[in-house]
């Protein structure tokens, strides 16, 4: 278990050592560690060395000069100058909220960015201003459309955050696949099979092999197969790709540059500029008084929570599992896996930053 | 087989006889018959008698005075005055497009409306103006959230339409359940079971009984069960409910008034006004030149269509199946089922409107 504040400081110092300005290193660390806090381990510090590899390969600019390349009162396209998505997406969200302040809503398509961490961080920025936040991103192709042998889409998450009054916010943050890639990694470590409908093998046939994607197979769109609605999961993933890539001027579909995890390094660019995202902000009081909306959302949440449950479970509200995990990890610390710790330590050695585990255990410090 | 133009005239004349103004009767008939043309039979003329029952029960105003109750440069809330959703939703879409013309995007939440037909009609209105169209609606509760025995959501569709250049548009129009209710009706008529993951029984247990919903069971969110991602389908359906109901000031969740199909007549209103929708329009050139966007969408579509297929199938683009069906039905006519014909004839008798089948077969006319 590692204290999230110490982990945060470590990550910030790595980003500083990479050349990021201080405010951006701090923000990027907050975004990354917020994933670990919420239990979305696949998007947290486990990805830090990926960002470093992106920089090593000349695909990441630690000092981006972001610029708005086109705008109207309610829209903008932001060029991220190959910066960290962890920093570019919050900037896009700030622009969206400024526009929402003035004309009710704001929508920012981003190009020339990189992996932005968890969608939920960015959409949630809207909440304290009584706005509804939207956040989407595409990613390197690991997913097959319905009836495809080829991987053409990423796990392409959609996130919508809405503020309640006394209840916690509604926070939908979902990959458009049956399961996110992080869920496969958990099964891989435990040597377990997947349920049906999660993956297909390199020949395009259904399988329950948790290592199928590494072997040339693919993640499946939400629904799994046509009979169970995979054309809908595919359609949602496609929509995210079009907003993130085609509307912004980034790459799209199979041309989206893969994130720098081992084995997925080769980029096949050519139809646009870098990776894209799509962010939005809607002022609640552009529709009805915010207090009224939030009271009704409270009522909605309470009605759903009080529904008669099944199989010993109760109805949960989107955002509940991550919030509950965060409450635990803020006090008990973050359980970073041994291979991730080894990875972080080697980054620490390279950049001359002490890893917090070392500091506690070593008698000489 | 009935010629779609004759069917359209019949439907228009029924709406006229119900008291709708001529332009609104024409529009409502176009929306309704467009569903039959596209093969979405459950949302077409089969529902006409439902609208009549709504009027008989005092829930439908054939001469609505719609009004904007709140607005900003990019948003509005439209009160539909209990009018036909078939007419209210297009009016909302017009307002959204006017706002998009001025400030880049426009978003209209609708309250006090009724069933609006197919989401795809409304979102597609944006296409000819080189805009991206959004359309959502909630509906009476037939769907259980994950781990719920109670039905709290409708099939709550999401639709996004995007214009291409030489290729047909991208048109995602999907219920947020594994299968739409119309798919169950087809199986009921054929006396067939459903696949797994479509429905649960009145006790909340998985079943393949196509009549489960009539027996107190429920449709399941896209994903089917927790292991297959039903929390995502539930989250999407919830999001549609919140935009359509809570943001607009309509009812929401279990309080959404059911559409007037036999057995689902009892309304349980009380938290808002009528049924709600959510419509949006985004000018493509508020982000990048429309011609550029449309050329890249063409390229996206062609790349996906050319993917290596599986099991003798090829990758299709959202909107393909409905477009192909429309091409056939425009020339070959619409196969209206015998019980629907009987239903329409009885409406014809009540309102003094000749049903087209009669006209062709009767020697005396």
């Amino acid at each position: 278990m590692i204290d999230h504040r110490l982990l945060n400081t470590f990550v910030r110092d790595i980003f500083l050592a990479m050349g990021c300005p201080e405010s951006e290193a701090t923000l990027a660390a907050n975004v990354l560690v917020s994933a670990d806090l919420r239990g979305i381990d696949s998007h947290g510090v486990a990805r830090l060395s990926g960002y470093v590899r992106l920089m090593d390969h000349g695909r990441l600019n630690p000092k981006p000069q972001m610029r708005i390349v086109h705008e109207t009162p309610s829209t903008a396209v932001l060029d991220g100058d190959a910066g960290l998505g962890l920093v570019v997406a919050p900037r896009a969200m700030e622009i969206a909220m400024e526009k929402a302040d003035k004309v009710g809503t704001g929508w920012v398509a981003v190009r020339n960015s990189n992996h932005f961490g968890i969608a939920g961080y960015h959409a949630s920025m809207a909440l304290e201003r009584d706005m509804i936040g939207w956040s989407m991103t595409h990613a390197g192709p690991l997913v097959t459309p319905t009836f495809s042998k080829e991987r053409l889409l990423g796990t392409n998450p959609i996130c919508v955050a809405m503020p309640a009054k006394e209840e916690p916010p509604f926070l939908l943050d979902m990959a458009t696949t049956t399961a996110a890639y992080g869920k496969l990694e958990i099964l891989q470590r435990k040597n377990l099979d997947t349920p049906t409908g999660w993956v297909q093998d390199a020949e395009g046939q259904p399988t329950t092999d948790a290592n199928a994607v590494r072997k040339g197979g693919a993640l499946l769109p939400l629904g799994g197969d046509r009979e169970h609605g995979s054309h809908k999961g595919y359609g949602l993933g496609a929509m995210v790709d079009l907003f993130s890539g085609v509307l912004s001027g980034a790459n799209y579909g199979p041309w989206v540059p893969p994130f720098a995890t081992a084995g997925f390094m080769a980029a096949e660019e050519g139809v646009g500029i870098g990776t894209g995202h799509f962010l939005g902000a809607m002022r609640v009081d552009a529709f009805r008084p915010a207090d009224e909306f939030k009271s009704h959302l409270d009522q909605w949440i309470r009605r759903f929570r009080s529904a008669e449950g099944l199989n010993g479970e109760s109805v949960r509200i989107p955002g509940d599992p991550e919030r509950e995990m965060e409450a635990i990890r803020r006090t008990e610390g973050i359980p970073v896996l041994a291979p991730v710790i080894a990875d972080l330590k080697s980054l620490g050695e390279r950049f001359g930053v002490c890893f917090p585990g070392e500091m506690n255990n070593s008698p000489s410090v």
Side-chain angles (χ1 to χ4, degrees), chain A residues 341-364:
Chain A
I341 288 186
D343 192 38
L344 294 176
K345 283 185 178 172
S346 103
L347 286 180
E349 280 163 28
R350 170 172 165 187
F351 290 106
V353 179
C354 277
F355 187 71
E358 300 273 285
M359 293 170 72
N360 291 335
N361 299 337
S362 160
S364 64

PDB file of all heavy atoms in Angstrom, chain A residues 341-364:
ATOM      1  N   ILE A 341       5.476  -1.471  -9.426  1.00  0.00           N
ATOM      2  CA  ILE A 341       6.457  -0.844  -8.533  1.00  0.00           C
ATOM      3  C   ILE A 341       7.856  -0.943  -9.146  1.00  0.00           C
ATOM      4  O   ILE A 341       8.613   0.044  -9.164  1.00  0.00           O
ATOM      5  CB  ILE A 341       6.422  -1.518  -7.141  1.00  0.00           C
ATOM      6  CG1 ILE A 341       5.126  -1.103  -6.422  1.00  0.00           C
ATOM      7  CG2 ILE A 341       7.655  -1.123  -6.318  1.00  0.00           C
ATOM      8  CD1 ILE A 341       5.018  -1.578  -4.993  1.00  0.00           C
ATOM      9  N   ALA A 342       8.187  -2.113  -9.694  1.00  0.00           N
ATOM     10  CA  ALA A 342       9.510  -2.283 -10.319  1.00  0.00           C
ATOM     11  C   ALA A 342       9.674  -1.285 -11.470  1.00  0.00           C
ATOM     12  O   ALA A 342      10.734  -0.655 -11.625  1.00  0.00           O
ATOM     13  CB  ALA A 342       9.652  -3.711 -10.817  1.00  0.00           C
ATOM     14  N   ASP A 343       8.608  -1.134 -12.262  1.00  0.00           N
ATOM     15  CA  ASP A 343       8.605  -0.221 -13.398  1.00  0.00           C
ATOM     16  C   ASP A 343       8.804   1.221 -12.929  1.00  0.00           C
ATOM     17  O   ASP A 343       9.616   1.979 -13.488  1.00  0.00           O
ATOM     18  CB  ASP A 343       7.243  -0.383 -14.097  1.00  0.00           C
ATOM     19  CG  ASP A 343       7.190   0.269 -15.448  1.00  0.00           C
ATOM     20  OD1 ASP A 343       8.198   0.214 -16.178  1.00  0.00           O
ATOM     21  OD2 ASP A 343       6.130   0.844 -15.778  1.00  0.00           O
ATOM     22  N   LEU A 344       8.106   1.600 -11.863  1.00  0.00           N
ATOM     23  CA  LEU A 344       8.195   2.968 -11.343  1.00  0.00           C
ATOM     24  C   LEU A 344       9.585   3.221 -10.739  1.00  0.00           C
ATOM     25  O   LEU A 344      10.168   4.288 -10.916  1.00  0.00           O
ATOM     26  CB  LEU A 344       7.105   3.205 -10.295  1.00  0.00           C
ATOM     27  CG  LEU A 344       5.656   3.184 -10.819  1.00  0.00           C
ATOM     28  CD1 LEU A 344       4.663   3.323  -9.660  1.00  0.00           C
ATOM     29  CD2 LEU A 344       5.411   4.291 -11.848  1.00  0.00           C
ATOM     30  N   LYS A 345      10.099   2.217 -10.061  1.00  0.00           N
ATOM     31  CA  LYS A 345      11.432   2.380  -9.472  1.00  0.00           C
ATOM     32  C   LYS A 345      12.479   2.605 -10.553  1.00  0.00           C
ATOM     33  O   LYS A 345      13.397   3.409 -10.387  1.00  0.00           O
ATOM     34  CB  LYS A 345      11.809   1.156  -8.635  1.00  0.00           C
ATOM     35  CG  LYS A 345      11.118   1.136  -7.285  1.00  0.00           C
ATOM     36  CD  LYS A 345      11.611  -0.021  -6.431  1.00  0.00           C
ATOM     37  CE  LYS A 345      10.942   0.009  -5.064  1.00  0.00           C
ATOM     38  NZ  LYS A 345      11.248  -1.203  -4.283  1.00  0.00           N
ATOM     39  N   SER A 346      12.321   1.897 -11.662  1.00  0.00           N
ATOM     40  CA  SER A 346      13.333   2.069 -12.703  1.00  0.00           C
ATOM     41  C   SER A 346      13.189   3.460 -13.335  1.00  0.00           C
ATOM     42  O   SER A 346      14.178   4.085 -13.709  1.00  0.00           O
ATOM     43  CB  SER A 346      13.273   0.916 -13.710  1.00  0.00           C
ATOM     44  OG  SER A 346      12.652   1.294 -14.885  1.00  0.00           O
ATOM     45  N   LEU A 347      11.955   3.970 -13.415  1.00  0.00           N
ATOM     46  CA  LEU A 347      11.780   5.359 -13.860  1.00  0.00           C
ATOM     47  C   LEU A 347      12.440   6.305 -12.867  1.00  0.00           C
ATOM     48  O   LEU A 347      13.098   7.274 -13.254  1.00  0.00           O
ATOM     49  CB  LEU A 347      10.288   5.723 -13.961  1.00  0.00           C
ATOM     50  CG  LEU A 347       9.470   5.159 -15.113  1.00  0.00           C
ATOM     51  CD1 LEU A 347       8.038   5.647 -14.995  1.00  0.00           C
ATOM     52  CD2 LEU A 347      10.071   5.572 -16.447  1.00  0.00           C
ATOM     53  N   GLY A 348      12.230   6.006 -11.574  1.00  0.00           N
ATOM     54  CA  GLY A 348      12.811   6.848 -10.534  1.00  0.00           C
ATOM     55  C   GLY A 348      14.336   6.913 -10.645  1.00  0.00           C
ATOM     56  O   GLY A 348      14.948   7.980 -10.528  1.00  0.00           O
ATOM     57  N   GLU A 349      14.934   5.744 -10.915  1.00  0.00           N
ATOM     58  CA  GLU A 349      16.395   5.719 -11.070  1.00  0.00           C
ATOM     59  C   GLU A 349      16.834   6.550 -12.269  1.00  0.00           C
ATOM     60  O   GLU A 349      17.780   7.330 -12.190  1.00  0.00           O
ATOM     61  CB  GLU A 349      16.877   4.272 -11.234  1.00  0.00           C
ATOM     62  CG  GLU A 349      16.970   3.541  -9.908  1.00  0.00           C
ATOM     63  CD  GLU A 349      17.050   2.033 -10.093  1.00  0.00           C
ATOM     64  OE1 GLU A 349      17.550   1.578 -11.148  1.00  0.00           O
ATOM     65  OE2 GLU A 349      16.588   1.304  -9.189  1.00  0.00           O
ATOM     66  N   ARG A 350      16.117   6.374 -13.367  1.00  0.00           N
ATOM     67  CA  ARG A 350      16.498   7.106 -14.580  1.00  0.00           C
ATOM     68  C   ARG A 350      16.440   8.619 -14.365  1.00  0.00           C
ATOM     69  O   ARG A 350      17.297   9.354 -14.834  1.00  0.00           O
ATOM     70  CB  ARG A 350      15.567   6.699 -15.722  1.00  0.00           C
ATOM     71  CG  ARG A 350      15.730   7.570 -16.953  1.00  0.00           C
ATOM     72  CD  ARG A 350      14.962   7.057 -18.154  1.00  0.00           C
ATOM     73  NE  ARG A 350      14.876   8.093 -19.171  1.00  0.00           N
ATOM     74  CZ  ARG A 350      14.155   7.986 -20.267  1.00  0.00           C
ATOM     75  NH1 ARG A 350      13.464   6.879 -20.512  1.00  0.00           N
ATOM     76  NH2 ARG A 350      14.120   8.985 -21.140  1.00  0.00           N
ATOM     77  N   PHE A 351      15.361   9.067 -13.678  1.00  0.00           N
ATOM     78  CA  PHE A 351      15.164  10.517 -13.560  1.00  0.00           C
ATOM     79  C   PHE A 351      15.631  11.079 -12.219  1.00  0.00           C
ATOM     80  O   PHE A 351      15.453  12.257 -11.939  1.00  0.00           O
ATOM     81  CB  PHE A 351      13.680  10.858 -13.769  1.00  0.00           C
ATOM     82  CG  PHE A 351      13.212  10.675 -15.192  1.00  0.00           C
ATOM     83  CD1 PHE A 351      12.415   9.602 -15.558  1.00  0.00           C
ATOM     84  CD2 PHE A 351      13.594  11.589 -16.170  1.00  0.00           C
ATOM     85  CE1 PHE A 351      11.988   9.435 -16.871  1.00  0.00           C
ATOM     86  CE2 PHE A 351      13.176  11.431 -17.486  1.00  0.00           C
ATOM     87  CZ  PHE A 351      12.372  10.348 -17.841  1.00  0.00           C
ATOM     88  N   GLY A 352      16.198  10.206 -11.369  1.00  0.00           N
ATOM     89  CA  GLY A 352      16.698  10.684 -10.081  1.00  0.00           C
ATOM     90  C   GLY A 352      15.597  11.111  -9.132  1.00  0.00           C
ATOM     91  O   GLY A 352      15.711  12.126  -8.454  1.00  0.00           O
ATOM     92  N   VAL A 353      14.514  10.331  -9.110  1.00  0.00           N
ATOM     93  CA  VAL A 353      13.407  10.637  -8.202  1.00  0.00           C
ATOM     94  C   VAL A 353      13.204   9.434  -7.286  1.00  0.00           C
ATOM     95  O   VAL A 353      13.139   8.298  -7.754  1.00  0.00           O
ATOM     96  CB  VAL A 353      12.100  10.915  -8.983  1.00  0.00           C
ATOM     97  CG1 VAL A 353      10.962  11.216  -8.033  1.00  0.00           C
ATOM     98  CG2 VAL A 353      12.298  12.055  -9.979  1.00  0.00           C
ATOM     99  N   CYS A 354      13.140   9.674  -5.958  1.00  0.00           N
ATOM    100  CA  CYS A 354      12.969   8.568  -5.014  1.00  0.00           C
ATOM    101  C   CYS A 354      11.553   8.027  -5.048  1.00  0.00           C
ATOM    102  O   CYS A 354      10.588   8.801  -4.958  1.00  0.00           O
ATOM    103  CB  CYS A 354      13.265   9.043  -3.586  1.00  0.00           C
ATOM    104  SG  CYS A 354      15.002   9.029  -3.226  1.00  0.00           S
ATOM    105  N   PHE A 355      11.413   6.722  -5.121  1.00  0.00           N
ATOM    106  CA  PHE A 355      10.082   6.123  -5.069  1.00  0.00           C
ATOM    107  C   PHE A 355       9.668   6.016  -3.606  1.00  0.00           C
ATOM    108  O   PHE A 355      10.446   5.606  -2.753  1.00  0.00           O
ATOM    109  CB  PHE A 355      10.105   4.745  -5.722  1.00  0.00           C
ATOM    110  CG  PHE A 355       8.737   4.158  -5.841  1.00  0.00           C
ATOM    111  CD1 PHE A 355       7.825   4.683  -6.759  1.00  0.00           C
ATOM    112  CD2 PHE A 355       8.329   3.109  -5.029  1.00  0.00           C
ATOM    113  CE1 PHE A 355       6.545   4.162  -6.862  1.00  0.00           C
ATOM    114  CE2 PHE A 355       7.048   2.581  -5.127  1.00  0.00           C
ATOM    115  CZ  PHE A 355       6.161   3.112  -6.047  1.00  0.00           C
ATOM    116  N   PRO A 356       8.446   6.382  -3.256  1.00  0.00           N
ATOM    117  CA  PRO A 356       8.052   6.472  -1.847  1.00  0.00           C
ATOM    118  C   PRO A 356       8.228   5.174  -1.068  1.00  0.00           C
ATOM    119  O   PRO A 356       8.622   5.204   0.091  1.00  0.00           O
ATOM    120  CB  PRO A 356       6.584   6.914  -1.904  1.00  0.00           C
ATOM    121  CG  PRO A 356       6.150   6.763  -3.330  1.00  0.00           C
ATOM    122  CD  PRO A 356       7.393   6.867  -4.146  1.00  0.00           C
ATOM    123  N   GLY A 357       7.998   4.025  -1.676  1.00  0.00           N
ATOM    124  CA  GLY A 357       8.197   2.763  -0.965  1.00  0.00           C
ATOM    125  C   GLY A 357       9.617   2.670  -0.432  1.00  0.00           C
ATOM    126  O   GLY A 357       9.857   2.306   0.720  1.00  0.00           O
ATOM    127  N   GLU A 358      10.567   3.019  -1.240  1.00  0.00           N
ATOM    128  CA  GLU A 358      11.973   3.032  -0.852  1.00  0.00           C
ATOM    129  C   GLU A 358      12.185   3.898   0.381  1.00  0.00           C
ATOM    130  O   GLU A 358      12.869   3.524   1.302  1.00  0.00           O
ATOM    131  CB  GLU A 358      12.816   3.621  -1.996  1.00  0.00           C
ATOM    132  CG  GLU A 358      12.741   2.867  -3.283  1.00  0.00           C
ATOM    133  CD  GLU A 358      13.773   1.742  -3.319  1.00  0.00           C
ATOM    134  OE1 GLU A 358      14.967   2.012  -3.508  1.00  0.00           O
ATOM    135  OE2 GLU A 358      13.331   0.594  -3.124  1.00  0.00           O
ATOM    136  N   MET A 359      11.564   5.074   0.334  1.00  0.00           N
ATOM    137  CA  MET A 359      11.808   6.025   1.420  1.00  0.00           C
ATOM    138  C   MET A 359      11.371   5.454   2.759  1.00  0.00           C
ATOM    139  O   MET A 359      12.054   5.618   3.760  1.00  0.00           O
ATOM    140  CB  MET A 359      11.049   7.322   1.169  1.00  0.00           C
ATOM    141  CG  MET A 359      11.587   8.089  -0.033  1.00  0.00           C
ATOM    142  SD  MET A 359      10.514   9.441  -0.479  1.00  0.00           S
ATOM    143  CE  MET A 359      10.844  10.565   0.875  1.00  0.00           C
ATOM    144  N   ASN A 360      10.250   4.753   2.787  1.00  0.00           N
ATOM    145  CA  ASN A 360       9.760   4.222   4.048  1.00  0.00           C
ATOM    146  C   ASN A 360      10.595   3.045   4.536  1.00  0.00           C
ATOM    147  O   ASN A 360      10.797   2.859   5.721  1.00  0.00           O
ATOM    148  CB  ASN A 360       8.303   3.767   3.912  1.00  0.00           C
ATOM    149  CG  ASN A 360       7.390   4.969   3.728  1.00  0.00           C
ATOM    150  OD1 ASN A 360       7.742   6.069   4.162  1.00  0.00           O
ATOM    151  ND2 ASN A 360       6.259   4.767   3.091  1.00  0.00           N
ATOM    152  N   ASN A 361      11.067   2.229   3.591  1.00  0.00           N
ATOM    153  CA  ASN A 361      11.716   0.987   3.987  1.00  0.00           C
ATOM    154  C   ASN A 361      13.220   1.127   4.225  1.00  0.00           C
ATOM    155  O   ASN A 361      13.810   0.322   4.898  1.00  0.00           O
ATOM    156  CB  ASN A 361      11.493  -0.077   2.911  1.00  0.00           C
ATOM    157  CG  ASN A 361      10.016  -0.359   2.743  1.00  0.00           C
ATOM    158  OD1 ASN A 361       9.245  -0.102   3.660  1.00  0.00           O
ATOM    159  ND2 ASN A 361       9.621  -0.873   1.587  1.00  0.00           N
ATOM    160  N   SER A 362      13.780   2.119   3.612  1.00  0.00           N
ATOM    161  CA  SER A 362      15.238   2.218   3.680  1.00  0.00           C
ATOM    162  C   SER A 362      15.673   2.936   4.963  1.00  0.00           C
ATOM    163  O   SER A 362      15.258   4.056   5.228  1.00  0.00           O
ATOM    164  CB  SER A 362      15.738   2.984   2.442  1.00  0.00           C
ATOM    165  OG  SER A 362      17.011   3.478   2.678  1.00  0.00           O
ATOM    166  N   PRO A 363      16.523   2.310   5.769  1.00  0.00           N
ATOM    167  CA  PRO A 363      16.944   2.922   7.031  1.00  0.00           C
ATOM    168  C   PRO A 363      17.836   4.144   6.829  1.00  0.00           C
ATOM    169  O   PRO A 363      17.952   4.981   7.701  1.00  0.00           O
ATOM    170  CB  PRO A 363      17.710   1.802   7.741  1.00  0.00           C
ATOM    171  CG  PRO A 363      18.146   0.880   6.648  1.00  0.00           C
ATOM    172  CD  PRO A 363      17.138   0.995   5.552  1.00  0.00           C
ATOM    173  N   SER A 364      18.455   4.234   5.624  1.00  0.00           N
ATOM    174  CA  SER A 364      19.418   5.312   5.426  1.00  0.00           C
ATOM    175  C   SER A 364      18.765   6.634   5.011  1.00  0.00           C
ATOM    176  O   SER A 364      19.437   7.647   4.935  1.00  0.00           O
ATOM    177  CB  SER A 364      20.453   4.897   4.373  1.00  0.00           C
ATOM    178  OG  SER A 364      19.810   4.715   3.130  1.00  0.00           O
TER     179      SER A 364
END
